[in-house]
Amino acid sequence: MYNKLNEIKADFDEAITKVQSKDELEQLRINYLGKKGIVTELLKGLKNLDAAEKKVAGKEVNLVKNSIEEALITNGKRIEEEALLNSIASAEKFDYSIPSKLNTGSLHPITIIQRQIEDIFKSMGFIIEDGLEVQTEYNNFEAVNIPKHHPARDMQDTYYLENGQLLKTHTSAAQNAIMKKYGAPKPGETLKVLFPGRCFRNENIDACHENTFFQMEGMMIGENISISNLIYFMKVLLSEVFQRDVKVRLRPGFFPFVEPGFELDVNCLICGGEGCSTCKQSGWLELLPCGMIHPNVLEMGGIDSDKYTGFAFGLGLTRLAMMKYEIKDIRVFNSANLKALKQFSKK
Amino acid sequence: MLISMNWISDFTDLSGIDYKELIGRFTLSTAEVEDIYEVGRNVNNVVVGEILEIADHPKSKKLHLLKVNVGDEIVDCVCGAPNVFVGAYVPFAKVGGMVGTLEIKSAEIAGCLSNGMCCSEKELGISEDNSGLMILSKEYNPGTDIKSFMQLEDTVFEVDNKSLTNRPDLWGHYGIAREISVLTKRPLKPLDVFETEEYDSLDKISVEVQSDKVYRYSSISIANITKKVSPVNMKIRLTYCGIRPISLLVDLTNYLMLELGQPMHAFDNSIVKEIVVKNFENTFAFSTLDDIERTIEPETVMICNGSEPVAIAGIMGGASSQITEDTTTVLLESANFDGVSVRKSAVKLGLRTDASSRYEKILDPELTVPAIKRFLKLLVSIDPDVKVTSALTDCYVKKYDSVTIEFDKKYVDKYTGIDISADQIEETLTALGFHVTRNEDDFKAVVPSYRVTKDVTIKADIIEEITRIYGYDNFELKSTASMLKPVEPMYQRENEYKMKMYLAEHYAMNEVHSYIWYDNKLNKQLGIETDRNVKIMNSEMADNDTIKSTMIPSLIIGASKNLDTYSDVRIFEIGRVVKGLKNDGLCNERKHLGILLASKEKSEKELYFLMKEVLEQLTMNIKSSQLHYSEISGEAVPSYAHPVNVVNVYLNNIEIGCFGCIHPKIEQKIDKKVKMVFAEIDLENFEEYLPKAMTFDEVSKYPGSTVDLSFLVDKTMKYQELQSYLNQYENKNLIQYSFVEAYEDANVLKDKKSITVRFEFGSKERTLESQEINDMTAEILDLLGKEGIGLR
């Protein structure tokens, strides 16, 4: 009996070292501890022994049984660990350098630059307004103090429609409607509005000229808006737009809807003011027209020009986009040429 | 416009002033200077030379050997000029001197030594005349440096004409000198003129003004004019200012125009005797003095000698009455014509002259008489024997009202935001020619006549005068002292940007821009028919004269341009269209989103359902809402749409647009393999629906159950029909149902299809019994059974 037990134990110990998988382990368990397993059969055989023998032999058999169970558990863990290590060792190494298929789409460059500038103005409390593209002669000309016989109203510059309306030639066409919509600001408040828009001029297209282009105009109206405020705001805003401290200078400029009117120059972006070919050695770049809103324009917008003053300024968005992205040919904007436009995939 | 500093110095003392700095200030205070030219610096060591002897050159018929007295010596010179003669005084460039880019050296010319060069006017930069040597008068001795009597050295600056548009007073040197005198705080000298009072008793010239486009017509006649050539310094100034010297009388009229800004015309008085200014009823041909025959329209004002037209008013004189070599008597015109009328005539004639471009700025009529008096002053100084043969005739038909502007210092303070002293205000305006009366801080300023025609009429104009002279660089900068107020969110604009971002980022679409008009030519090529919509009356491009009423045609064209490069194109645009006219006759302008998906790889069905997903996803993102659709047919189907698969799109019962497949006839013209699907949304209608405020529904603590049921229905039945039956079932324990899939199989299901729907049952109070769920399922099946629908 003892010999037999020792034999069984020795056989098992040998077999279990050879076990490599969970299936083999299970098979081994069944062989020894299953319903008809070797150890189970031994235990069954105990019932034929007398009580004293049974007690001694039972103890011995159970010891073997326990040690087998223990070995099964230990080796189970061993097999799991080995399998894990094996699976790690045999894992496929992925080629992280294979390019992903990205398809990001793109926004139009005008949308991008317009949004950037709008964000700056919004942070300074400006309302963004969106005027119509088809305008009346009144809004486009009369209401901004461009009288009947002004050269700007000549047929060759403006697209006139058969119903007597026209395609707006400048964003200023929205001024009157905006003043009427918001009215004069409450005491102590200012009306601050930015109004970007698409404008049209009846001319032939080439690399530098478009009949359809974007402008952005802003105005600020209040009881005590002054030239000093105008220069201050322009300086702050342009420093934000160009992300650097800009120097500005004002020169007299004539635009019918402002008085006084100015041409605003910034120190050259390329040379910083030293003089280079971009600024024609002057150190200055002509950037935007601006001025104090003409009293007639305020009055036509229903705002008392004795009580209120304001300033207005315009920015050529298309031109700014060309400068910023170094676009040489203005025709790119309306081309729908995706080879060009897909490049504008960043926000 | 070119401005000579020598000329300016005639009117204001500029000694000791740095010109560059002054011109820089002029840019900041008055008008933009585009360029500064230092001229005459390259003429050096050129003296008066007297030709003493002339001998033939041994080897050349054209060249001569000269002996020239240059003051301190007599030098040999080889000269090729045709007009040499003994005794002539000529400009002579000595060895070591310089003329233009030419350095003068001792040199052999065709074998003979030449120690210097006799110069023409062109070589000295005085005029374009290179026909021969310049012959000098004998008032200066040989050896005298010509620069001692010729104003060759000058600083000339070019003012951007556009920046003078609104300053008629700055179209002559005297006006510029006035500005400069203000900037330098030096006095402006009065204009030196010839008084004509003593001739007032002579007969006047007969001047009759029949046109209402004339403000003033002044004239005088002069006889016994013997000099033909202008003094050299006058020629130099004309040349430096861009005008070619021609002959004394022509040069003088040009000189006066450049000096005072007043265009003048000299008629030969032997031809032109009486002046009638009028319009003609009919179009006729007229030869201008440049010998071009031009068509004169009835609107164009003409100057006539009696009934015979002799000049186009304010633009150009006629060939028949112009000054010639033989002219000794002139009738001088100094007039003021309506600026708008002159501009329109000049545009119509395609003839924009120095005179017309000045008139169109609206000149001061007060200038005409001083111009005549100044002309006489200069003429008499050049040709002392001339005789005035008429009284100064002045037909002043229309006058501008005098303008007085009243304001106070408080107004200036408010407008400028800074403190400019009352003394400085008074000083500036007075220097600019305003007649100022001041009572402490209250001002009354009478605007000078040369500013009243156009640019100074109201208080705000006074601000510009004060501030530009004060200098914008000297302004203290201040922020506004306004109350902070939150800006109301601009949902519509934000939504637009969200849409763009979503389409670009999530669906990898590309935003494009197109024109507001149709490309009629390309539309025709692709077989895209468009509606008769509002047209542009004066387009440069005849094919592009119709305003778009839909975004889709330009998107189809945009996609077609890219299909050679990309097999899959997804583009969108947010832009304006015009949907005909509104009741008030104005254009019904709308903002539309157009999307076009085009692919040579995907099936039409894939594209269709992708587009549907795009629209619904956008709507869900922005409006937290579902879209609905309705079929359209016949007239309602856009011409570019596939008649079978096209629907109108609704958001909360508002029609917001349309989506569907592109008509195959268009696709086939673009590419045999391409399939296209479009969508167009009216964003204003889209924005009419305001999303409901977000609410929260308590999550049930008890588990729910789901049951999938597959219904067998007719193949043609739409899901929404099934929905309409399911919606009739009401039970608070049915939380929701949703579409799982539709399955077709011609072999097994034949003309039927299977639609699987998932039902979610549950309660907030308890876990439902399985019997309850079975009951509800049975009720649903009963309900559908009545419509003839059973389980698969």
Side-chain angles (χ1 to χ4, degrees):
Chain A
M1 175 82 186
Y2 295 119
N3 285 345
K4 198 168 183 195
L5 267 178
N6 285 337
E7 208 174 298
I8 290 169
K9 182 71 169 55
D11 284 353
F12 175 83
D13 286 348
E14 198 193 326
I16 200 150
T17 52
K18 290 179 186 157
V19 166
Q20 294 295 335
S21 71
K22 286 208 145 181
D23 290 349
E24 286 172 35
L25 192 73
E26 177 64 8
Q27 195 52 54
L28 201 61
R29 188 190 66 78
I30 293 165
N31 288 348
Y32 284 84
L33 304 180
K35 279 180 184 165
K36 290 176 182 169
I38 300 165
V39 178
T40 316
E41 291 296 328
L42 269 184
L43 282 171
K44 282 181 192 164
L46 288 181
K47 67 180 178 202
N48 301 325
L49 299 180
D50 60 34
E53 274 180 332
K54 204 191 245 175
K55 195 178 174 187
V56 176
K59 200 177 173 188
E60 289 297 325
V61 176
N62 272 320
L63 275 175
V64 170
K65 188 189 172 197
N66 288 347
S67 88
I68 285 174
E69 279 175 340
E70 210 171 287
L72 282 169
I73 291 169
T74 316
N75 279 281
K77 282 186 185 154
R78 170 183 63 86
I79 286 163
E80 266 178 32
E81 272 166 31
E82 277 172 9
L84 185 65
L85 289 173
N86 272 339
S87 82
I88 290 172
S90 64
E92 184 195 348
K93 192 166 174 64
F94 302 134
D95 181 356
Y96 54 80
S97 68
I98 288 174
S100 313
K101 278 187 186 164
L102 297 181
N103 205 353
T104 50
S106 60
L107 294 182
H108 195 277
I110 293 288
T111 298
I112 297 171
I113 203 156
Q114 184 168 319
R115 181 74 181 181
Q116 284 169 350
I117 296 177
E118 279 180 18
D119 282 347
I120 295 168
F121 280 87
K122 272 192 286 187
S123 74
M124 300 186 80
F126 276 74
I127 300 164
I128 317 288
E129 272 288 333
D130 203 10
L132 292 169
E133 289 181 357
V134 180
Q135 284 286 1
T136 57
E137 261 196 294
Y138 176 83
N139 279 338
N140 197 74
F141 292 128
E142 247 138 279
V144 287
N145 207 30
I146 301 175
K148 268 260 141 46
H149 295 294
H150 195 278
R153 292 178 75 155
D154 282 357
M155 285 292 275
Q156 64 263 33
D157 297 325
T158 308
Y159 287 111
Y160 284 93
L161 305 184
E162 55 190 358
N163 71 334
Q165 284 188 285
L166 48 81
L167 300 181
K168 76 172 168 205
T169 61
H170 50 190
T171 40
S172 308
Q175 283 192 7
N176 189 263
I178 291 171
M179 287 182 202
K180 284 175 177 161
K181 176 175 172 184
Y182 292 97
K186 294 194 188 95
E189 290 182 0
T190 52
L191 173 60
K192 289 180 278 192
V193 197
L194 185 76
F195 36 112
R198 187 163 67 157
C199 307
F200 308 85
R201 296 270 166 92
N202 192 1
E203 64 179 6
N204 287 316
I205 300 180
D206 60 34
C208 308
H209 298 89
E210 244 295 358
N211 52 34
T212 304
F213 52 94
F214 285 80
Q215 286 184 344
M216 188 174 262
E217 189 161 322
M219 62 184 179
M220 184 160 172
I221 298 171
E223 276 176 62
N224 285 301
I225 302 295
S226 66
I227 296 172
S228 172
N229 299 151
L230 163 64
I231 309 175
Y232 171 82
F233 261 82
M234 289 297 104
K235 195 171 146 57
V236 170
L237 291 171
L238 293 171
S239 294
E240 281 295 315
V241 171
F242 292 109
Q243 293 291 301
R244 65 180 179 88
D245 190 25
V246 296
K247 288 196 193 102
V248 303
R249 75 169 193 188
L250 266 64
R251 296 181 278 114
F254 173 68
F255 311 97
F257 31 92
V258 284
E259 184 64 47
F262 312 107
E263 287 284 4
L264 184 141
D265 302 337
V266 293
N267 56 331
C268 178
L269 305 165
I270 310 294
C271 66
E274 300 286 309
C276 67
S277 59
T278 307
C279 61
K280 292 187 204 151
Q281 307 306 327
S282 72
W284 295 97
L285 283 181
E286 186 174 314
L287 189 72
L288 57 85
C290 55
M292 299 295 289
I293 301 171
H294 197 287
N296 294 353
V297 175
L298 287 173
E299 291 291 336
M300 282 183 276
I303 293 175
D304 181 355
S305 68
D306 280 332
K307 193 168 172 196
Y308 298 95
T309 48
F311 64 74
F313 57 90
L315 244 177
L317 268 189
T318 301
R319 202 168 68 99
L320 200 65
M322 289 177 84
M323 264 166 73
K324 184 158 178 172
Y325 302 117
E326 295 178 30
I327 298 170
K328 302 272 185 308
D329 190 333
I330 199 169
R331 289 169 292 196
V332 162
F333 292 100
N334 289 326
S335 67
N337 179 352
L338 296 187
K339 277 190 230 168
L341 295 175
K342 276 191 179 203
Q343 296 174 35
F344 296 96
S345 58
K346 293 170 212 80
K347 264 173 261 179
Chain B
M1 193 173 54
L2 293 158
I3 299 296
S4 146
M5 287 303 267
N6 284 343
W7 206 333
I8 298 294
S9 305
D10 284 0
F11 306 119
T12 187
D13 178 15
L14 294 179
S15 53
I17 283 174
D18 181 324
Y19 283 4
K20 273 232 162 104
E21 209 181 295
L22 175 59
I23 292 166
R25 275 217 65 197
F26 185 85
T27 285
L28 294 183
S29 291
T30 309
E32 191 186 4
V33 173
E34 289 183 316
D35 258 312
I36 303 176
Y37 310 99
E38 297 294 343
V39 292
R41 307 300 196 269
N42 54 3
V43 174
N44 278 319
N45 215 356
V46 180
V47 300
V48 176
E50 178 190 9
I51 298 176
L52 300 175
E53 285 175 29
I54 301 178
D56 289 341
H57 191 286
K59 289 182 189 162
S60 163
K61 278 186 183 163
K62 279 186 184 167
L63 297 175
H64 294 100
L65 304 176
L66 310 182
K67 289 217 179 292
V68 183
N69 172 12
V70 295
D72 48 357
E73 60 178 325
I74 290 165
V75 296
D76 291 317
C77 169
V78 180
C79 179
N83 64 335
V84 286
F85 60 93
V86 171
Y89 277 40
V90 297
F92 186 84
K94 287 164 80 170
V95 171
M98 192 161 180
V99 175
T101 54
L102 192 66
E103 280 179 49
I104 308 298
K105 290 174 186 156
S106 184
E108 275 194 12
I109 297 174
C112 297
L113 193 67
S114 183
N115 285 319
M117 185 177 99
C118 302
C119 304
S120 69
E121 288 192 3
K122 184 171 181 178
E123 280 157 341
L124 296 175
I126 292 170
S127 75
E128 285 298 301
D129 187 356
N130 209 21
S131 62
L133 299 181
M134 180 179 187
I135 306 299
L136 301 174
S137 76
K138 298 198 175 171
E139 57 188 303
Y140 301 99
N141 293 325
T144 313
D145 191 315
I146 60 163
K147 285 191 173 176
S148 68
F149 58 91
M150 283 190 205
Q151 285 186 335
L152 280 170
E153 288 193 8
D154 199 350
T155 301
V156 175
F157 63 94
E158 185 159 20
V159 186
D160 174 24
N161 285 350
K162 251 192 349 219
S163 72
L164 295 177
T165 310
N166 209 41
R167 290 294 303 271
D169 62 313
L170 296 186
W171 283 80
H173 279 73
Y174 194 69
I176 301 273
R178 186 186 297 115
E179 286 286 317
I180 285 182
S181 78
V182 179
L183 295 178
T184 56
K185 301 202 168 167
R186 302 218 172 157
L188 177 73
K189 294 176 190 166
L191 205 59
D192 198 2
V193 296
F194 180 94
E195 292 305 339
T196 56
E197 280 73 18
E198 61 173 298
Y199 305 101
D200 284 353
S201 57
L202 295 180
D203 283 348
K204 288 195 169 180
I205 295 164
S206 159
V207 175
E208 193 186 325
V209 175
Q210 295 176 0
S211 164
D212 64 348
K213 304 295 184 204
V214 181
Y215 279 78
R216 191 175 191 181
Y217 197 100
S218 311
S219 64
I220 203 161
S221 59
I222 311 154
N224 202 30
I225 303 162
T226 53
K227 292 266 170 43
K228 306 290 176 201
V229 181
S230 306
V232 62
N233 284 334
M234 184 181 282
K235 282 190 188 175
I236 292 171
R237 285 188 181 177
L238 289 174
T239 301
Y240 284 177
C241 292
I243 289 200
R244 193 161 58 92
I246 294 167
S247 67
L248 176 62
L249 287 169
V250 175
D251 292 353
L252 262 177
T253 56
N254 284 331
Y255 191 86
L256 253 296
M257 178 177 73
L258 294 184
E259 187 166 273
L260 294 183
Q262 172 66 49
M264 300 184 97
H265 188 68
F267 294 107
D268 189 325
N269 197 200
S270 67
I271 298 163
V272 177
K273 309 262 188 208
E274 51 173 329
I275 297 293
V276 177
V277 189
K278 66 171 193 176
N279 295 82
F280 285 80
E281 275 174 29
N282 298 313
T283 303
F284 65 98
F286 178 74
S287 289
T288 41
L289 51 77
D290 52 5
D291 282 328
I292 295 175
E293 194 173 277
R294 300 176 189 275
T295 307
I296 306 295
E297 307 274 345
E299 303 85 66
T300 298
V301 182
M302 297 298 294
I303 312 297
C304 303
N305 176 33
S307 59
E308 181 66 23
V310 289
I312 309 171
I315 299 175
M316 195 180 263
S320 63
S321 60
Q322 67 175 310
I323 303 295
T324 65
E325 274 292 293
D326 307 325
T327 302
T328 58
T329 62
V330 296
L331 187 155
L332 194 59
E333 166 194 293
S334 181
N336 189 289
F337 304 108
D338 178 78
V340 173
S341 159
V342 170
R343 178 169 60 82
K344 289 192 167 167
S345 294
V347 167
K348 215 161 229 173
L349 287 162
L351 180 63
R352 215 158 163 258
T353 58
D354 285 321
S356 77
S357 60
R358 281 178 172 76
Y359 278 121
E360 69 184 41
K361 306 298 180 295
I362 312 186
L363 298 176
D364 175 16
E366 291 296 318
L367 269 178
T368 63
V369 168
I372 287 180
K373 293 180 173 178
R374 178 70 179 157
F375 183 99
L376 284 170
K377 178 79 191 175
L378 294 173
L379 179 61
V380 168
S381 71
I382 296 161
D383 195 351
D385 297 335
V386 298
K387 266 174 64 184
V388 174
T389 53
S390 79
L392 196 152
T393 308
D394 186 20
C395 214
Y396 206 158
V397 195
K398 272 202 277 189
K399 272 192 185 181
Y400 287 91
D401 292 336
S402 163
V403 173
T404 303
I405 298 172
E406 290 181 37
F407 62 97
D408 56 16
K409 183 175 179 309
K410 233 173 79 190
Y411 172 78
V412 180
D413 291 349
K414 177 178 157 168
Y415 225 94
T416 57
I418 56 170
D419 181 13
I420 301 177
S421 75
D423 286 349
Q424 197 173 352
I425 293 171
E426 184 179 3
E427 195 182 305
T428 302
L429 292 177
T430 307
L432 286 168
F434 290 77
H435 181 70
V436 182
T437 36
R438 176 182 155 200
N439 182 6
E440 306 247 318
D441 282 353
D442 292 327
F443 295 84
K444 265 187 199 174
V446 182
V447 183
S449 64
Y450 46 83
R451 301 299 299 280
V452 92
T453 59
K454 199 169 184 185
D455 73 327
V456 183
T457 49
I458 59 168
K459 276 202 287 188
D461 298 325
I462 290 283
I463 298 292
E464 172 158 44
E465 296 307 302
I466 297 166
T467 54
R468 68 186 180 86
I469 300 298
Y470 179 84
Y472 299 112
D473 283 359
N474 299 323
F475 265 65
E476 187 196 338
L477 307 188
K478 282 182 215 149
S479 178
T480 52
S482 72
M483 282 193 317
L484 283 175
K485 192 183 145 196
V487 178
E488 273 189 45
M490 291 148 278
Y491 292 114
Q492 195 165 335
R493 198 162 189 86
E494 285 307 309
N495 289 346
E496 216 177 276
Y497 188 67
K498 268 190 206 166
M499 280 184 186
K500 288 181 179 183
M501 285 300 288
Y502 195 71
L503 293 176
E505 291 196 332
H506 194 82
Y507 288 105
M509 292 196 195
N510 304 106
E511 187 189 6
V512 298
H513 279 178
S514 64
Y515 293 97
I516 196 172
W517 44 76
Y518 288 125
D519 190 326
N520 285 337
K521 198 169 146 194
L522 276 177
N523 279 351
K524 210 171 174 186
Q525 273 175 27
L526 297 178
I528 303 170
E529 290 160 33
T530 52
D531 295 344
R532 167 80 179 81
N533 201 21
V534 184
K535 283 192 173 186
I536 298 170
M537 281 162 39
N538 58 332
S539 177
E540 287 287 321
M541 302 152 290
D543 286 327
N544 302 346
D545 65 347
T546 310
I547 303 291
K548 295 196 287 205
S549 64
T550 159
M551 306 288 285
I552 304 308
S554 62
L555 286 170
I556 294 174
I557 291 168
S560 74
K561 284 184 195 165
N562 287 290
L563 282 165
D564 287 341
T565 316
Y566 306 100
S567 57
D568 202 64
V569 174
R570 307 166 167 199
I571 52 175
F572 71 95
E573 178 178 9
I574 291 182
R576 312 300 179 96
V577 300
V578 168
K579 291 282 198 190
L581 300 182
K582 295 183 290 183
N583 287 339
D584 58 7
L586 299 180
C587 287
N588 181 20
E589 180 179 331
R590 315 289 298 180
K591 190 181 265 186
H592 277 193
L593 162 68
I595 307 176
L596 194 92
L597 308 177
S599 180
K600 291 192 272 192
E601 289 160 354
K602 293 197 173 66
S603 73
E604 195 169 41
K605 191 170 180 179
E606 279 176 279
L607 292 176
Y608 181 90
F609 283 102
L610 174 61
M611 183 67 92
K612 182 170 181 288
E613 180 193 312
V614 168
L615 295 178
E616 291 176 4
Q617 192 72 62
L618 276 182
T619 312
M620 191 50 81
N621 288 356
I622 292 168
K623 298 289 183 188
S624 309
S625 195
Q626 302 273 0
L627 291 176
H628 298 97
Y629 306 92
S630 82
E631 285 183 42
I632 50 174
S633 60
E635 294 272 291
V637 177
S639 62
Y640 45 80
H642 193 301
V644 174
N645 285 315
V646 58
V647 289
N648 276 350
V649 183
Y650 293 82
L651 173 61
N652 194 40
N653 294 325
I654 304 166
E655 186 185 319
I656 60 163
C658 182
F659 101 93
C661 302
I662 294 292
H663 201 291
K665 72 179 178 191
I666 297 170
E667 290 173 342
Q668 277 161 21
K669 287 217 170 82
I670 293 167
D671 188 292
K672 286 213 169 62
K673 280 187 284 182
V674 79
K675 290 291 166 201
M676 292 182 168
V677 171
F678 74 93
E680 184 163 28
I681 301 295
D682 183 314
L683 293 181
E684 286 157 68
N685 286 347
F686 181 79
E687 288 300 339
E688 263 184 44
Y689 175 72
L690 300 176
K692 293 191 186 85
M694 224 181 268
T695 55
F696 176 70
D697 197 11
E698 196 69 45
V699 178
S700 173
K701 290 185 204 108
Y702 306 96
S705 313
T706 61
V707 174
D708 284 3
L709 298 177
S710 293
F711 301 105
L712 198 61
V713 299
D714 283 345
K715 217 177 195 173
T716 54
M717 186 193 277
K718 289 186 189 59
Y719 177 66
Q720 74 184 31
E721 195 178 325
L722 186 66
Q723 267 182 307
S724 69
Y725 305 137
L726 290 173
N727 289 347
Q728 290 166 18
Y729 182 69
E730 281 175 40
N731 189 314
K732 67 177 166 60
N733 292 336
L734 172 61
I735 299 165
Q736 62 170 10
Y737 69 87
S738 56
F739 174 85
V740 180
E741 64 166 359
Y743 175 73
E744 289 179 33
D745 186 327
N747 292 326
V748 182
L749 301 176
K750 308 240 158 45
D751 57 348
K752 299 271 182 184
K753 67 179 171 187
S754 151
I755 296 178
T756 306
V757 180
R758 177 164 300 160
F759 297 85
E760 275 180 65
F761 301 108
S763 161
K764 281 184 189 160
E765 285 103 38
R766 61 199 166 81
T767 308
L768 296 179
E769 305 283 331
S770 63
Q771 188 54 47
E772 287 177 285
I773 291 162
N774 289 343
D775 287 349
M776 284 189 279
T777 309
E779 282 163 17
I780 291 167
L781 288 174
D782 264 4
L783 188 74
L784 290 188
K786 283 180 197 151
E787 306 297 338
I789 298 169
L791 285 179
R792 183 184 157 195

